[in-house]
Amino acid sequence: MAKSPEEQHPVKAFGWAARDASGHLSPFTFSRRATGEEDVRFKVLYCGICHSDLHSIKNEWGISTYPMLPGHEIVGEVSEVGSKVEKVKVGDRVGVGCMVGACHNCDSCANDLENYCPKVVLTYNGIYYDGTMTYGGYSDSMVANQRYIVRIPDGMPLDSAAPLLCAGITVYSPLKYFGLGEPGKHIGIVGLGGLGHVGVKFAKALGCKVTVISTSPNKKAEALEHLGADSFLVSRDQDQLQGAMGTFDGIIDTVSAGHPITPLLGLLKSHGKLVMVGAPSEPLEIPVFSLLAGRKTMAGSGIGGMKETQEMIDFAAKHNIKSDIEVISMDYVNQAMERLQKGDVRYRFVIDVGNTLAATKP
């Protein structure tokens, strides 16, 4: 008979989990493994809420296993390290992003792209090497192999750093890989949400001219005055679209809902690149003729490897890039999910795990 989550491992742990596709989260007692010789254990202080958490708890991608304890934007303070850990020490500020394991033998792993390993182990809703489920950061503690630990630079606020471990690397990686994050390049950021707002900040810090592309005209002042974008384009305004045709070197599309692709491809210069980083639950319609006209590229990109994730965090610290966040208590998480569904957040919820989780214990 399979052991319960509480009995699988020796270290008791507590968090909030969903039990079914209703997505309702509630207190959950489980266990974490003992600290292995290459493991880092840390007290979770903050955990960001990603849009993929919402998709996952509601099984909108059809791959959810319950009970599910979400959270892959996890930061805190090291409480214990294994005998072979050299990367960090007790008391250091660290984080864990979207993955906690990979095969370490394939081409992707050999090239610091563990995120594309066929056997990548996700931080939650995954199966670890020992056959047990992985549980995420809506919890009091976390343990991971040192390879998957990110060092948070001194002076960087932990709460606003947390979302960078998913949202930050998700936009930073394609800007770098596709050659878009270069001074003078004209880059469009589609959607001004959790991903989009940090996309603007990274692209600007890399020296790009940045245009926010949105369906919401009321976000113009926010984009230009607060986030520092150079221009703003309403994607439903045909005159604005026509005036901007063929002027973008690249576009990062962060939208996680169905939307038309043809107008975006029309904005690109010849050889321009449209990179999808949002993950709509339904397939999008791809207009091939729009790709052929101008030898344009449409691609996807998902987070980044551990080396690049550390590079991103260090870059963010150097350029004072932070997520715009709303800090919430653990017992507010279900209301936060409802608001996230409506897009009612500026721009990322972050759970104050360290100060509010313990009070929710039954």
Side-chain angles (χ1 to χ4, degrees):
M1 183 173 162
K3 290 183 178 180
S4 71
E6 281 185 85
E7 300 169 327
Q8 287 176 341
H9 301 292
V11 182
K12 300 302 180 189
F14 174 69
W16 278 46
R19 275 43 170 220
D20 54 46
S22 70
H24 182 78
L25 294 150
S26 59
F28 177 65
T29 304
F30 65 109
S31 55
R32 298 268 190 208
R33 69 176 184 272
T35 308
E37 60 184 16
E38 292 192 21
D39 282 343
V40 175
R41 183 179 304 278
F42 65 93
K43 178 184 178 183
V44 177
L45 297 178
Y46 296 97
C47 186
I49 296 179
C50 178
H51 208 285
S52 59
D53 296 349
L54 180 60
H55 285 302
S56 297
I57 60 175
K58 292 181 174 291
N59 197 26
E60 290 177 353
W61 291 331
I63 55 172
S64 299
T65 302
Y66 301 96
M68 180 190 295
L69 197 158
H72 59 207
E73 301 175 345
I74 317 164
V75 294
E77 185 176 293
V78 177
S79 57
E80 186 181 12
V81 296
S83 59
K84 293 186 177 179
V85 171
E86 298 177 352
K87 190 172 184 177
V88 295
K89 62 185 186 304
V90 172
D92 283 356
R93 294 145 37 94
V94 297
V96 163
C98 301
M99 57 188 168
V100 291
C103 80
H104 306 154
N105 294 312
C106 67
D107 285 347
S108 290
C109 287
N111 288 289
D112 296 310
L113 292 168
E114 303 93 341
N115 51 312
Y116 297 129
C117 173
K119 297 181 179 179
V120 65
V121 180
L122 299 178
T123 301
Y124 71 87
N125 196 44
I127 304 293
Y128 202 63
Y129 307 125
D130 61 5
T132 61
M133 285 295 299
T134 57
Y135 295 119
Y138 296 14
S139 59
D140 55 6
S141 67
M142 188 69 195
V143 60
N145 183 284
Q146 65 174 337
R147 180 168 181 158
Y148 298 92
I149 293 290
V150 177
R151 299 180 305 277
I152 307 298
D154 292 338
M156 191 175 207
L158 283 179
D159 52 2
S160 57
L164 298 180
L165 294 171
C166 174
I169 187 60
T170 296
V171 294
Y172 181 85
S173 187
L175 283 169
K176 298 288 283 189
Y177 177 79
F178 290 101
L180 302 178
E182 297 175 357
K185 290 283 179 77
H186 185 193
I187 304 304
I189 303 290
V190 184
L192 201 57
L195 290 172
H197 90 284
V198 289
V200 173
K201 295 181 180 187
F202 276 109
K204 285 297 295 180
L206 288 163
C208 303
K209 175 187 175 184
V210 180
T211 297
V212 170
I213 303 168
S214 174
T215 58
S216 307
N218 60 357
K219 290 186 177 180
K220 181 176 182 177
E222 174 78 4
L224 301 180
E225 296 166 19
H226 176 64
L227 296 174
D230 297 286
S231 55
F232 186 88
L233 184 61
V234 179
S235 57
R236 289 174 175 158
D237 186 317
Q238 293 305 311
D239 290 339
Q240 288 190 30
L241 287 176
Q242 197 63 38
M245 291 276 280
T247 62
F248 288 77
D249 295 290
I251 294 173
I252 306 291
D253 188 337
T254 73
V255 177
S256 287
H259 59 289
I261 297 300
T262 304
L264 300 178
L265 291 172
L267 294 172
L268 292 172
K269 298 176 182 177
S270 293
H271 310 129
K273 299 165 184 174
L274 171 62
V275 186
M276 313 299 294
V277 298
S281 54
E282 297 295 327
L284 298 174
E285 190 172 305
I286 309 302
V288 174
F289 279 108
S290 298
L291 290 172
L292 301 180
R295 196 192 282 163
K296 296 169 184 176
T297 299
M298 184 173 176
S301 183
I303 59 170
M306 296 311 304
K307 181 180 179 181
E308 190 175 46
T309 301
Q310 187 67 58
E311 175 190 309
M312 176 276 305
I313 282 285
D314 294 341
F315 180 90
K318 180 180 179 181
H319 293 272
N320 197 30
I321 295 173
K322 305 170 187 174
S323 308
D324 289 17
I325 60 173
E326 180 178 335
V327 179
I328 63 168
S329 60
M330 191 72 241
D331 60 6
Y332 186 77
V333 67
N334 288 304
Q335 293 97 308
M337 290 294 183
E338 291 174 10
R339 286 177 54 192
L340 181 58
Q341 185 95 50
K342 301 172 186 172
D344 177 24
V345 57
R346 247 189 76 206
Y347 284 96
R348 204 66 151 188
F349 287 116
V350 173
I351 306 167
D352 184 352
V353 177
N355 289 316
T356 69
L357 176 63
T360 68
K361 281 189 175 181

